[in-house]
Amino acid sequence: MAANRDSILEALERVIDPELRKPVTELDMVRDVRIDGGDVGITIALTVVGCPLRSSFQDQVQRHVGPLPGVESVSLDFDVMSPDERQALTRKLRGGLTERTKGISLDASTRVVAVCSGKGGVGKSTLTVNLAAAFSDLGLRTGVLDADVYGHSIPHLLGIHRQPVLVDRMIVPPVRRDLKLMSIGFFLEDNAPVMWRGPMLHKALEQFLSDVHWGELDILVVDMPPGTGDVAISLGQLLPRAEVILVTTPQPLAQEVAIRAARMAQKTNTRLIGVIENMTSAVFGSGGGETLASELGVPLLGTVPLDARLRLSGDAGEPVVWADPDSDAAVAIAELADAVVATHRERGVGIVKSLPLVS
Ligand SMILES: Nc1ncnc2c1ncn2[C@@H]1O[C@H](COP(=O)(O)OP(=O)(O)OP(=O)(O)O)[C@@H](O)[C@H]1O
Ligand SMILES: [Mg+2]
């Protein structure tokens, strides 16, 4: 019995492009299906030469086509899309839009949560990747945006060193497990900090954000640059309807930070949803988070203990939530993720009314 073309094409509907998250059949990537008795040859057209995802396609094609009745062997070849095909694909993915959309290319239902702080080094990046991993574990389709134009440490923390794939003018985020990652750092040579200032930075960020193809996301977690200054304000304006989480250390420095954070929320029309106290310990103490939260009239979403595993797993490119899910820090972060999800459910409750706004 010879292999059947229709059943092969049907099986190929289950072969998903790992980055574009759609079946190869729907993406018009299947070039050719050759049947010679029990021997099946398939050609898939990749978006770019040297696409790093070949082995994923190999595995999936073997898994779905291999067991079909009449199939004895499967061989997979790759071809590359022509510029016209890439353009057609881009149009398709953008839902027929040919014009560049202004602002970030996200669906209106995607939640955007920006992780901010009054000062540097409080653990924003560490919490961003771990919260993202925890959201993903909850079954949310999660993206991580590294918007720290000075530091961009997220690719390192997630162990993603691949450049994003450029399809036509669309930037496709690389993935780690189910997380999609985009970093301004991918586009900078030698990790040099961005030297643009003011309007130029705003323009560059706007183009960068609008060209990223996020696909369908439930939540996007954004690692913000430290401080609540101009860059943060500019980013806040580019991230429509972002909600802000403020990270602080246990030492109470609340008042000054609260005023600056409130100013930022007001200028960017974002909503502060709560405070996280990080590095709670016998050495640093605790209480700074509670003080800041009450100063701002928002909830303390949780505290994360000082734990060397957070640093070590970060250095190893694996969030502690995945590397050591039973550790105190991982458990605390999983609870935080639940708390953040709950703020959405209770929308309307806990909205900042009593911000110490400055004029
Ligand atoms: N709870 C914690 N326990 C132990 N180490 C931590 C904890 N949180 C963060 N760290 C470590 O503290 C350092 C600073 O953290 P991180 O880079 O996440 O801060 P940041 O706020 O993003 O800094 P920056 O403002 O420079 O971007 C890192 O070495 C990180 O591993
Ligand atoms: Mg950082």
Side-chain angles (χ1 to χ4, degrees), residues 124-126 148 153 223-224 226:
K124 288 179 302 300
S125 305
T126 306
D148 187 347
S153 51
D223 184 29
M224 297 286 280

Side-chain angles (χ1 to χ4, degrees), residues 80-93:
V80 178
M81 288 185 177
S82 67
D84 283 352
E85 286 172 316
R86 273 202 291 274
Q87 233 174 38
L89 175 67
T90 311
R91 264 199 305 277
K92 189 170 202 165
L93 289 169

Side-chain angles (χ1 to χ4, degrees), residues 109-113 218-220 243 271 273 340-341 343-344:
S109 63
T110 306
R111 227 182 143 182
V112 180
V113 173
D218 295 310
I219 190 161
L220 178 70
E243 299 167 276
R271 193 170 79 106
I273 55 170
V340 174
V341 170
T343 59
H344 202 45

Side-chain angles (χ1 to χ4, degrees), residues 115-117 119-129 148 150-154 157 223-227 247 277-280 284 304-315 329 333:
V115 180
C116 300
S117 70
K119 59 172 183 145
V122 299
K124 288 179 302 300
S125 305
T126 306
L127 289 174
T128 297
V129 295
D148 187 347
Y150 309 117
H152 41 88
S153 51
I154 299 283
L157 291 172
D223 184 29
M224 297 286 280
V247 181
E277 178 179 293
N278 187 30
M279 308 192 193
T280 307
F284 294 145
V304 178
L306 185 74
D307 184 339
R309 274 172 295 195
L310 267 172
R311 183 170 47 77
L312 295 171
S313 65
D315 287 345
I333 290 163

Side-chain angles (χ1 to χ4, degrees), residues 132-200:
F135 289 135
S136 179
D137 287 350
L138 287 173
L140 300 176
R141 293 167 298 178
T142 308
V144 183
L145 173 63
D146 180 3
D148 187 347
V149 292
Y150 309 117
H152 41 88
S153 51
I154 299 283
H156 174 71
L157 291 172
L158 279 175
I160 298 182
H161 303 293
R162 284 197 290 105
Q163 291 287 312
V165 172
L166 276 167
V167 183
D168 201 18
R169 238 183 10 201
M170 190 178 69
I171 310 168
V172 182
V175 290
R176 173 78 196 278
R177 293 207 195 179
D178 282 332
L179 287 185
K180 295 182 175 183
L181 166 67
M182 189 45 63
S183 169
I184 188 96
F186 288 142
F187 299 91
L188 303 173
E189 284 191 13
D190 302 329
N191 252 14
V194 176
M195 299 310 270
W196 314 304
R197 301 199 66 81
M200 245 173 109

